[in-house]
Amino acid sequence: MTRWREILAALTDDTLDDAERGAVLAWAAVRLANDRGAAGHRPTIEEVMALACEEFAVTIDTGQARAALDDWERADGERKFT
């Protein structure tokens, strides 16, 4: 539940610019894609972009998805949304 609260906060936070909001939502999409995928499966850029669109009704580009995936791998999935 905490994850969804953080996502909703990012969607409604007027202090974030579009790039910051996109980064938060891309990270959230990576986490969800990872949680829903098979064990050991790295989410793809396409999965992250589709999940962001389907779950959050936002469009992220390939660069945002790739950056979030790379960040997630470096952080070993431990980064907070904010």
Side-chain angles (χ1 to χ4, degrees), residues 31-77:
R31 294 278 308 267
L32 286 176
N34 181 64
D35 290 350
R36 293 177 181 175
H41 169 73
R42 180 187 191 266
T44 66
I45 290 171
E46 292 78 15
E47 289 169 340
V48 171
M49 293 171 61
L51 212 150
C53 183
E54 293 164 6
E55 295 292 331
F56 313 138
V58 296
T59 302
I60 60 172
D61 61 34
T62 56
Q64 290 170 310
R66 181 177 293 114
L69 282 165
D70 291 345
D71 189 33
W72 171 72
E73 285 184 338
R74 281 191 303 274
D76 197 28

Side-chain angles (χ1 to χ4, degrees), residues 3-39:
R3 185 175 307 161
W4 287 108
R5 286 185 185 146
E6 292 171 335
I7 293 165
L8 290 173
L11 286 170
T12 59
D13 186 347
D14 292 339
T15 64
L16 297 177
D17 64 24
D18 289 341
E20 292 169 319
R21 185 173 290 107
V24 170
L25 296 173
W27 177 260
V30 168
R31 294 278 308 267
L32 286 176
N34 181 64
D35 290 350
R36 293 177 181 175

